[in-house]
Amino acid sequence: MSFPEWVENQKKHGCEIKCIGDKYYLYERKSYWDPVKKKAKKKTREYLGAITPSWFIPKRIMLPSNSTYSVKEFGATAYLSCISKDILEILTQQLPDKMAKMIYVLAILRAKGEESFKRMDIQYQTSYLSETISGLSLSGASITSFLVDLGRQRDKIVTVMNKLSNSIQNIIVDGSRLTSWSKGMSLPDIGHNTSGRWDPQVNIMYVFARSLLPQPVFYRCVRGNIPDVSAMKLTMESMGKDCISTVVADAGFASAENFEMLAESDIKYIVPLKRNTNEIVSTDLNVRSNYKHAFTYTERSVIAYEQDKDGYRIIVFRDERMRYKEMSDFIANLEKKNLAIREMKKKHKSAEFNIGEEAIKSDPYFGTIIIRTNLDDSPQEVYETYKMRVAIEQCFDTLKNTLSQDHSYMHS
């Protein structure tokens, strides 16, 4: 029987075409030897699909009702597992096997965006993690029991963190406050935070490796009413290893009391001061001959000069690009204010700003960052270490806003 050309074009080796009604179908064909008739005979076997003028349509494969096949998320899990093999290895070396796997799996699920413990088991079962690390129970009750057990093994946690930290140059910043109203925990206590709230909170102190991309290598939870300097000292002491940790704070940390506590604790620090600080004479800021140091940071030119004080140094940095930007914004802002004053003169008598005088008065401070430190490092090293705080703040922002870890719902 002859078939149309578009049908013949779909024919494959070891197959035959059948016409049923006005439609064409492709079947597998098998030849076998007939010993009675002494010749080869053909036998039609499995149906392969339908032939149409446009394309070949394969048959549908129906899974049995008791099939265990399912679709599981793979991409994000595979990527996170690939870049964290060293973490899993250290966890399994230092902790019981099941506990190490629980920590690792929960961390990956959290990093993927799952916030609630009660949904962890669903996320686990629909993730490829359940194939590579199988047999874990992640129900709410199981996770609660696991966290209680883990929290009692602080010594093992410290060992794991010290194994993960390969750097002896570390940075510690003021803590991240975690609000908790739990009555079954001893750590939450009334304390002030940057939001101006006096809620019960836990102060979590993080230590970061001093590197191009700072990574957290150690943490300690302290009571919410303990001052930051004391919390920093406790955290450094609890690391239990020969490392150098430098406190990198923000301008709000600069107070006589804090500096005195840092000096008494023999803690190295880098703290920015307000531009109108009494530590520097403003007229010295515009004397070019004072700036003995120059370097580039992220393709921006920075000049610096330093003054030695009693037990510490004051280093003034000037970013030339930032200086011109701040000057331009300052003048533009005064021009807008003068325009508003002119429009209101009919109702209110108010003197306009002398833009030239105001600009000259503020000019010494434009583009400057004034640092107080007791480090012996060069101005460039101090500047680069201070700038790492930006990346650390980004880490806290991710922790609180992306992963929603700004509150604790633990009861004990």
Side-chain angles (χ1 to χ4, degrees), residues 75-266:
T77 294
Y79 172 72
L80 291 170
S81 300
C82 180
I83 64 173
S84 60
K85 289 179 180 177
D86 58 327
I87 297 177
L88 178 59
E89 183 179 346
I90 292 174
L91 286 171
T92 52
Q93 288 173 356
Q94 304 298 325
L95 298 172
D97 186 67
K98 185 177 179 181
M99 179 177 285
K101 290 178 178 178
M102 284 283 284
I103 294 172
Y104 186 72
V105 168
L106 289 173
I108 286 185
L109 294 177
R110 272 279 171 92
K112 285 170 54 183
E114 180 52 57
E115 302 167 8
S116 172
F117 279 137
K118 67 182 180 182
R119 289 183 52 84
M120 284 294 186
D121 194 50
I122 298 174
Q123 295 300 318
Y124 172 63
Q125 298 298 336
T126 56
S127 166
Y128 194 68
L129 270 175
S130 59
E131 302 291 332
T132 57
I133 304 177
S134 59
L136 297 182
S137 174
L138 297 185
S139 64
S142 297
I143 293 176
T144 299
S145 176
F146 156 73
L147 290 174
V148 171
D149 186 27
L150 176 64
R152 291 171 177 162
Q153 303 190 46
R154 175 67 185 177
D155 56 336
K156 292 183 178 179
I157 294 174
V158 171
T159 302
V160 169
M161 290 189 292
N162 285 335
K163 289 286 185 181
L164 288 169
S165 172
N166 295 320
S167 174
I168 61 170
Q169 294 281 339
N170 295 312
I171 298 170
I172 186 170
V173 300
D174 41 324
S176 177
R177 304 280 177 166
L178 194 75
T179 302
S180 174
W181 293 90
S182 172
K183 301 298 182 182
M185 297 173 67
S186 60
L187 286 173
D189 211 328
I190 302 297
H192 180 65
N193 58 28
T194 53
S195 302
R197 297 176 181 174
W198 293 87
D199 296 332
Q201 53 198 292
V202 180
N203 193 0
I204 306 180
M205 306 300 299
Y206 284 94
V207 179
F208 289 79
R210 188 189 185 284
S211 59
L212 187 62
L213 181 62
Q215 299 180 46
V217 294
F218 193 88
Y219 81 93
R220 175 168 178 168
C221 299
V222 298
R223 295 178 67 92
N225 63 343
I226 295 179
D228 279 340
V229 175
S230 299
M232 291 171 182
K233 184 179 180 181
L234 290 171
T235 304
M236 293 178 188
E237 290 174 350
S238 66
M239 289 188 75
K241 58 185 292 189
D242 186 19
C243 65
I244 302 170
S245 295
T246 302
V247 173
V248 180
D250 57 15
F253 188 84
S255 68
E257 181 182 2
N258 282 340
F259 285 128
E260 185 178 349
M261 291 179 68
L262 287 170
E264 290 175 355
S265 303
D266 195 25

Side-chain angles (χ1 to χ4, degrees), residues 394-409:
Q394 181 62 50
C395 183
F396 285 132
D397 181 67
T398 302
L399 185 73
K400 291 185 174 182
N401 298 324
T402 305
L403 299 180
S404 301
Q405 297 301 296
D406 54 342
H407 286 72
S408 172
Y409 299 97

